[in-house]
Amino acid sequence: MQMPHCFQHVLILEDLVEMNHWLKTMIHRVFPEVTIVQTFDLQQARAALAQQQYDLALIDLSLPDGKGLEIIDWFNQYSPQTISIVVTIFEEDAYLFEAICHGAKGYLLKDLAEEIFQQHLRQLM
């Protein structure tokens, strides 16, 4: 039987400032002890990846300087233990299928009610 995953370090990659802060709030409500690094584009995310390992990453797909899929690919290659979750407004299968093919472990819709979003985060454990 697999032990529950214990998160210590979480990366958020989301370019919309309000959504980035909302994600941070949601994570802290579910995992109050974690350290969260907030990034707003691929360049900042790459810099954060050079500094430390992450247990969980919430990744937006559409960014001003590219696609979040690039960071999912990086985790797959260099940190396969990291749980990469796409946070998106897109419910279309094509977007989600592509992310799963790149190694995302799942996805969360940005427009979920807070309680539902937090429940899905808890299920990651």
Side-chain angles (χ1 to χ4, degrees):
M1 185 166 130
Q2 190 175 11
M3 295 297 291
H5 201 284
C6 221
F7 300 127
Q8 294 179 359
H9 302 286
V10 178
L11 176 75
I12 297 172
L13 173 53
E14 166 62 57
D15 62 313
L16 301 174
V17 174
E18 286 183 25
M19 179 56 62
N20 194 308
H21 292 303
W22 184 82
L23 291 170
K24 180 179 180 182
T25 299
M26 294 300 101
I27 292 167
H28 265 220
R29 286 184 184 165
V30 176
F31 310 113
E33 302 298 318
V34 299
T35 301
I36 298 173
V37 173
Q38 294 174 270
T39 60
F40 298 86
D41 58 32
L42 289 175
Q43 182 179 357
Q44 289 178 355
R46 285 187 210 104
L49 295 175
Q51 298 299 313
Q52 88 167 67
Q53 296 272 322
Y54 294 91
D55 305 300
L56 173 65
L58 299 185
I59 301 170
D60 185 19
L61 294 177
S62 300
L63 300 160
D65 59 345
K67 289 185 167 189
L69 295 174
E70 182 180 318
I71 299 303
I72 295 170
D73 288 340
W74 188 94
F75 280 124
N76 258 356
Q77 186 169 0
Y78 299 107
S79 184
Q81 75 280 1
T82 301
I83 298 173
S84 298
I85 302 294
V86 171
V87 285
T88 184
I89 58 169
F90 301 114
E91 292 187 58
E92 291 85 22
D93 291 341
Y95 288 103
L96 303 175
F97 182 73
E98 183 180 20
I100 299 300
C101 286
H102 278 261
K105 306 293 191 281
Y107 70 94
L108 292 169
L109 296 175
K110 293 178 182 179
D111 59 358
L112 289 173
E114 288 187 10
E115 304 79 34
I116 304 288
F117 195 93
Q118 291 173 35
Q119 178 182 358
H120 288 301
L121 284 175
R122 277 186 204 91
Q123 290 172 349
L124 296 173
M125 294 295 280

